[in-house]
Amino acid sequence: MEDEDLSLSPGTLAILNEFLKEKADRERAELEKIKNKNYKDLHFQEDWQLSQFWYSCETTDVFGKVVKQLLQAADDASFHIALLSCPSLYKSVKEIHDTVQIFEYDKRFAAFGEDFVFYDFNEGCEANNLKKFSHQYDLIIADPPFLSEECIVNMCKIIEFLLKPSGKVIFCSGVLVEPWLCSYLPVKKCKYQPQHERNLGNEFASYANFDLDHYIIR
């Protein structure tokens, strides 16, 4: 094939160049926010290879309101929150309460400084860097990246390790994981169904070890 056959048309080349320019501009803006420690306004694109799917604005608002009510009921400044594999909730939760940490495999979120904790669900709670967080959290919101039994079981073990004895759990995942999930954690399926920016093929549900719907349906 001749080299000229592989060249792009002027119109296609213009579109490609515009896309690359917009991408470079976004990355430059994000780096500037990191430099200025403006973490709340950082925006990351989903990485589908890591099975990342961001929640809709409605869902992040709902969980933010739930967190606010739980904080008011606890009336405890030392209330600690952990977000496991659900970084799209960070901004709405952080605006309400400062003591929140993201447990993530994706190291892009190290941009959030001390709020970021690297973890790999395959390692379970045996990872050395997790040991200092044993039974530290009053509320854990988790959304495992995969729907396999291995992933769900390992996530449950990590949650048990991180959660305070009286702590609360909100677990979001596909309905097909319910048998595995409910056999490891004392949670029940809730009426509330979290929504995503992109429609997922699997039916999604929320589970909790407390009456989550009470804080949503009011």
Side-chain angles (χ1 to χ4, degrees):
M1 182 179 293
E2 298 292 334
D3 288 343
E4 62 185 26
D5 293 334
L6 297 175
S7 62
L8 299 174
S9 68
T12 301
L13 184 60
I15 293 172
L16 176 59
N17 287 335
E18 181 64 22
F19 170 78
L20 294 175
K21 180 180 181 300
E22 290 178 357
K23 183 174 183 292
D25 289 343
R26 285 197 304 269
E27 292 175 348
R28 192 178 302 111
E30 297 305 300
L31 287 173
E32 188 65 22
K33 292 173 185 175
I34 293 171
K35 180 181 178 181
N36 296 326
K37 297 185 178 181
N38 190 10
Y39 302 138
K40 292 182 181 179
D41 292 332
L42 285 172
H43 180 71
F44 295 94
Q45 300 295 318
E46 298 167 330
D47 186 339
W48 291 358
Q49 291 184 326
L50 295 178
S51 191
Q52 291 178 344
F53 302 96
W54 296 164
Y55 290 127
S56 67
C57 291
E58 182 271 341
T59 293
T60 59
D61 287 345
V62 164
F63 281 128
K65 291 174 182 177
V66 170
V67 168
K68 188 173 183 178
Q69 293 177 74
L70 292 176
L71 285 168
Q72 291 172 344
D75 192 25
D76 185 353
S78 65
F79 197 90
H80 286 69
I81 301 171
L83 305 176
L84 274 61
S85 298
C86 48
S88 60
L89 289 180
Y90 175 78
K91 182 178 179 180
S92 60
V93 174
K94 185 71 173 180
E95 288 176 346
I96 298 166
H97 190 58
D98 192 57
T99 311
V100 54
Q101 289 182 296
I102 296 176
F103 286 73
E104 256 295 337
Y105 181 79
D106 187 347
K107 292 185 178 180
R108 289 182 299 167
F109 296 101
F112 292 121
E114 294 181 356
D115 286 351
F116 169 79
V117 179
F118 173 79
Y119 90 118
D120 183 345
F121 74 83
N122 291 300
E123 296 180 359
C125 49
E126 301 302 318
N128 288 331
N129 69 309
L130 296 188
K131 291 181 179 179
K132 64 180 179 180
F133 300 109
S134 175
H135 305 305
Q136 293 296 306
Y137 294 95
D138 300 276
L139 172 65
I140 294 178
I141 306 177
D143 189 340
F146 305 108
L147 302 179
S148 66
E149 181 176 8
E150 178 185 14
C151 178
I152 300 303
V153 171
N154 284 348
M155 288 285 283
C156 289
K157 291 178 179 178
I158 292 172
I159 289 171
E160 287 182 327
F161 182 77
L162 298 177
L163 192 68
K164 289 182 179 179
S166 59
K168 291 180 170 57
V169 177
I170 301 173
F171 197 103
C172 303
S173 190
V175 295
L176 62 86
V177 311
E178 186 171 348
W180 307 321
L181 171 62
C182 294
S183 65
Y184 278 90
L185 289 180
V187 296
K188 294 182 179 180
K189 186 178 178 182
C190 309
K191 293 180 181 178
Y192 180 68
Q193 293 179 296
Q195 303 297 316
H196 298 81
E197 289 182 353
R198 307 173 193 274
N199 293 325
L200 303 185
N202 298 297
E203 185 181 354
F204 218 71
S206 62
Y207 303 82
N209 65 346
F210 65 103
D211 188 0
L212 173 63
D213 294 319
H214 169 75
Y215 296 89
I216 297 174
I217 305 171
R218 299 176 72 104

